[in-house]
Amino acid sequence: MKKIIKPLLLVLLAAFIIIQFFKPEKNIHPGTDAVKNNITSLYPAPEDVEHILQTSCYDCHSNNTKYPWYNNIQPVTWWLNHHVNDAKKDLNFDEFATYKLSRQYKKAEQIIDEVKEGKMPLSSYTFIHTEAKLNADQKTAIQNWAAAIMDTLEARYPADSLIKK
């Protein structure tokens, strides 16, 4: 049994060392497009909401992730990269201004629902990033801001342009 365990551990250690050299591109893309297309360029947020977005949302739902130290260890990097890419496909605050009106409207509605139901931010994120947990007042502030986005869209555009066809 010992003859099998030692070579197996060596192979696993070698594999662990080798995978450290294969890292995906990081989600760090600062620039004017991020500011120009950011949700707050269309729908300004109060200072408290902007702070909530930065601490609770932007790491996964923007083009600029602040990576923790453990992101430098594989396979954690791959897992985080996959998680961020999935989150950005669903909602990217830095690309929000490029969305069709119907998608903007739907995403604002989803922000309200997911915050209200406690689905966002994810508990797997707030477990490590405790500052990202939302209290009742913060949830209300985000929901009110998203509702104001919906109201703005309803006031500016015909109702049929806000429904996905």
Side-chain angles (χ1 to χ4, degrees):
M1 186 71 156
K2 285 186 180 183
K3 289 183 179 184
I4 294 173
I5 292 177
K6 188 173 181 180
L8 181 61
L9 288 175
L10 288 174
V11 168
L12 289 174
L13 179 61
F16 179 76
I17 291 169
I18 290 169
I19 67 172
Q20 300 312 307
F21 295 100
F22 299 94
K23 297 185 180 193
E25 180 182 346
K26 288 191 174 192
N27 183 44
I28 302 174
H29 307 284
T32 55
D33 284 347
V35 173
K36 181 178 77 172
N37 294 327
N38 187 282
I39 191 171
T40 59
S41 69
L42 290 178
Y43 311 105
E47 193 174 311
D48 62 331
V49 171
E50 183 65 40
H51 178 73
I52 294 165
L53 293 173
Q54 290 174 2
T55 58
S56 301
C57 307
Y58 284 175
D59 272 350
C60 298
H61 293 282
S62 80
N63 292 332
N64 292 294
T65 301
K66 293 177 185 145
Y67 288 97
W69 65 268
Y70 51 84
N71 180 66
N72 295 312
I73 302 168
Q74 295 294 20
V76 173
T77 309
W78 294 330
W79 180 79
L80 286 175
N81 186 61
H82 176 73
H83 180 79
V84 168
N85 287 337
D86 277 353
K88 285 173 43 179
K89 281 180 195 169
D90 187 50
L91 172 62
N92 186 339
F93 287 110
D94 284 339
E95 301 295 329
F96 197 86
T98 67
Y99 293 172
K100 292 180 180 181
L101 295 175
S102 59
R103 186 168 186 211
Q104 289 181 16
Y105 189 82
K106 183 68 175 169
K107 291 302 166 187
E109 186 177 48
Q110 287 176 341
I111 290 168
I112 294 168
D113 292 342
E114 298 216 354
V115 168
K116 185 185 293 182
E117 294 171 12
K119 292 181 179 177
M120 284 290 153
L122 294 176
S123 58
S124 60
Y125 182 76
T126 59
F127 178 74
I128 300 281
H129 304 272
T130 55
E131 74 284 357
K133 288 181 183 176
L134 301 178
N135 63 36
D137 290 340
Q138 290 171 317
K139 287 179 180 184
T140 300
I142 286 285
Q143 290 171 33
N144 289 343
W145 175 67
I149 291 172
M150 293 175 70
D151 291 344
T152 299
L153 286 165
E154 289 169 0
R156 288 185 188 164
Y157 304 102
D160 64 340
S161 66
L162 303 178
I163 300 168
K164 187 176 179 180
K165 296 170 183 161

